[in-house]
């Protein structure tokens, strides 16, 4: 019987070499999710979320070194040559909405011209006009937007264009890196409604965000990332109702609730440097429940639907 796993990441590490220093951006990350499931990756800025997405897309900078395994429908992404990956997988099977991408549209070309360049780059053989119009309509935009330049449309429309570009080659998996950042609340809601609609139509999504509230609208599974590691992983429902890692608890407590009036208490301190990450639990200096044994590397404890890396659940 064919495996139902769409994406499996095993012991993935990504290290950047910069000015003679090594930055451990992703540190031995392991997770998987099935077809028709979506995954949320949550954590503070600089925790390695975006690097994880770029590693899956094989679009890391040249100064990055990667180890571990990434399997997409059983095929090893890391062992696939760049030319084969570009030909068969990138944008066709897996695409990505990059962080801040709405500002990366070329200001001197119309939206239509930029769509045409994507299709040309990936040797699209079908009806280009029909494909572009279908992609635009799928994100709730009308045909006239194609003749406009980026500066002539709003931030929300730019973000919809970016989503349409990620979908034009009809991939099965889309990595959305902070797709609602820098958008007003109304436009954020529109983008989330759009992503949920696309998910209902069969698209798998990896949603990267610092906002667990947004992730809860999309994902069946969630990975909590801290200082390059996934410290808790499991079904969304279990993690929301019964979070186990102190960092997960702190993230959930930071979400404003309409029914509650208590003041939100910010998490004190800063994440550790990834240039020389400390031994033991990386949340030790900020954890209200830290113990002496937490200075040792925490065990990976199996939970009902995933795992948690914490001595409290030994």
């Amino acid at each position: 019987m064919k495996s139902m796993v769409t994406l499996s990441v095993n012991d993935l590490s990504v290290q950047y070499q910069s000015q003679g220093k090594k930055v451990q951006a992703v540190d031995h990350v392991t997770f998987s999710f099935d077809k028709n499931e979506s995954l949320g990756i949550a954590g503070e800025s600089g925790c390695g979320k975006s690097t994880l997405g770029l590693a899956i897309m094989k679009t890391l900078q040249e100064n990055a070194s990667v180890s571990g395994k990434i399997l997409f429908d059983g095929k090893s992404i890391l062992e696939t040559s760049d030319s084969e990956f570009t030909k068969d997988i990138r944008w066709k099977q897996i695409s990505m909405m990059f962080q801040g991408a709405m500002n990366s549209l070329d200001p001197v070309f119309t939206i239509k011209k930029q769509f045409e360049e994507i299709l040309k780059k990936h040797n699209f053989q079908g009806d280009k006009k029909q494909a572009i119009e279908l992609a635009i309509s799928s994100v709730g935009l009308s045909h006239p937007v194609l003749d406009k330049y980026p500066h002539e449309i709003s931030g929300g429309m730019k973000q919809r264009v970016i989503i349409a570009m990620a979908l034009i080659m009809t991939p099965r998996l889309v990595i959305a890196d902070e797709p609602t950042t820098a958008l007003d609340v109304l436009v954020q809601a529109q983008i989330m409604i759009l992503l949920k609609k696309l998910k209902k139509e069969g698209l798998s999504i990896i949603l990267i965000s610092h906002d667990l509230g947004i992730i809860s609208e999309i994902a069946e599974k969630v990975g909590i990332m801290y200082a390059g590691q996934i410290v808790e992983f499991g079904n969304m429902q279990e993690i929301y109702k019964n979070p186990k890692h102190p960092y997960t608890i702190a993230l959930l407590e930071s979400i404003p609730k309409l029914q509650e009036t208590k003041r939100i208490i910010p998490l004190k301190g800063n994440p550790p440097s990834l240039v020389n990450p400390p031994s033991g639990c990386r949340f030790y200096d900020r954890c209200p429940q830290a113990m002496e044994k937490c200075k040792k590397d925490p065990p990976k404890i199996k939970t009902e639907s995933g795992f948690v890396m914490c001595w409290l659940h030994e």
Side-chain angles (χ1 to χ4, degrees):
M1 184 176 179
K2 187 177 179 181
S3 171
M4 290 297 288
V5 173
T6 296
L7 187 75
S8 176
V9 174
N10 186 33
D11 203 30
L12 179 69
S13 291
V14 179
Q15 193 175 77
Y16 292 109
Q17 185 82 29
S18 178
Q19 298 178 341
K21 297 179 180 179
K22 293 180 179 179
V23 180
Q24 192 70 48
V26 175
D27 192 1
H28 300 287
V29 162
T30 296
F31 65 85
S32 65
F33 65 96
D34 299 336
K35 289 180 180 176
N36 301 320
E37 282 189 330
S38 290
L39 168 71
I41 300 292
E44 294 169 281
S45 297
C47 71
K49 306 186 302 294
S50 295
T51 294
L52 176 59
L54 294 172
I56 295 170
M57 278 294 290
K58 291 194 74 168
T59 52
L60 289 164
Q61 299 171 16
E62 291 184 358
N63 65 338
S65 59
V66 187
S67 63
K69 289 186 177 180
I70 305 173
L71 300 179
F72 180 68
D73 276 355
K75 184 178 180 65
S76 174
I77 285 177
L78 297 182
E79 293 176 5
T80 302
S81 67
D82 287 343
S83 59
E84 184 182 351
F85 189 80
T86 298
K87 178 184 176 185
D88 298 330
I89 300 176
R90 184 182 290 123
W91 300 114
K92 300 176 179 71
Q93 298 290 328
I94 308 173
S95 66
M96 186 169 183
M97 305 169 201
F98 296 98
Q99 189 172 3
M102 68 179 187
N103 297 319
S104 67
L105 292 170
D106 196 318
V108 300
F109 292 110
T110 63
I111 301 300
K112 180 180 180 181
K113 179 64 176 177
Q114 295 183 58
F115 271 104
E116 290 172 344
E117 285 297 311
I118 292 172
L119 296 176
K120 180 181 178 181
K121 176 73 174 177
H122 294 281
N123 299 313
F124 183 77
Q125 299 300 315
D127 186 327
K128 292 182 174 63
K129 181 180 178 181
Q130 184 181 47
I132 293 170
E133 292 184 353
L134 184 62
I136 281 292
S137 64
S138 73
V139 297
L141 293 175
S142 57
H143 183 273
V145 76
L146 292 172
D147 295 322
K148 295 184 180 295
Y149 289 87
H151 72 274
E152 296 180 303
I153 61 178
S154 68
M157 293 175 75
K158 287 180 189 176
Q159 190 65 293
R160 286 171 183 262
V161 167
I162 290 298
I163 294 173
M165 286 179 172
L167 298 175
I168 194 165
M169 301 298 293
T170 61
R172 294 158 53 211
L173 170 64
V174 169
I175 303 167
D177 190 358
E178 301 279 10
T180 60
T181 297
L183 300 176
D184 63 52
V185 176
L186 181 59
V187 177
Q188 281 188 28
Q190 293 171 348
I191 296 300
M192 292 308 298
I193 290 170
L194 171 60
L195 290 177
K196 285 188 277 189
K197 171 179 171 285
L198 295 169
K199 185 186 169 189
K200 282 183 179 179
E201 294 172 357
L203 184 70
S204 292
I205 299 170
I206 297 179
L207 178 58
I208 297 171
S209 179
H210 63 278
D211 190 334
L212 273 168
I214 285 176
I215 285 175
S216 69
E217 296 187 43
I218 291 288
E220 285 81 21
K221 290 184 175 179
V222 61
I224 306 299
M225 202 161 182
Y226 185 80
Q229 299 177 333
I230 288 188
V231 296
E232 186 168 0
F233 183 85
N235 290 341
M236 176 61 70
Q237 189 173 14
E238 180 189 355
I239 286 181
Y240 266 67
K241 289 186 175 180
N242 186 25
K244 293 178 173 59
H245 198 283
Y247 181 62
T248 308
I249 294 170
L251 284 181
L252 287 168
E253 288 180 344
S254 71
I255 301 173
K257 298 176 178 63
L258 291 175
Q259 295 81 10
E260 297 183 9
T261 57
K262 67 178 183 180
R263 188 168 66 92
I264 295 174
I265 301 173
L267 187 60
K268 295 181 180 179
N270 297 301
S273 169
L274 296 181
V275 174
N276 187 25
S279 59
C281 176
R282 296 185 179 175
F283 193 56
Y284 178 82
D285 288 338
R286 306 172 77 188
C287 182
Q289 302 181 67
M291 305 174 287
E292 185 64 27
K293 68 167 64 176
C294 297
K295 293 180 180 179
K296 299 178 182 178
D297 289 342
K300 183 178 283 188
I301 307 296
K302 185 175 174 57
T303 62
E304 186 177 332
S305 62
F307 64 84
V308 62
M309 291 175 60
C310 183
W311 283 105
L312 290 171
H313 304 282
E314 183 186 10

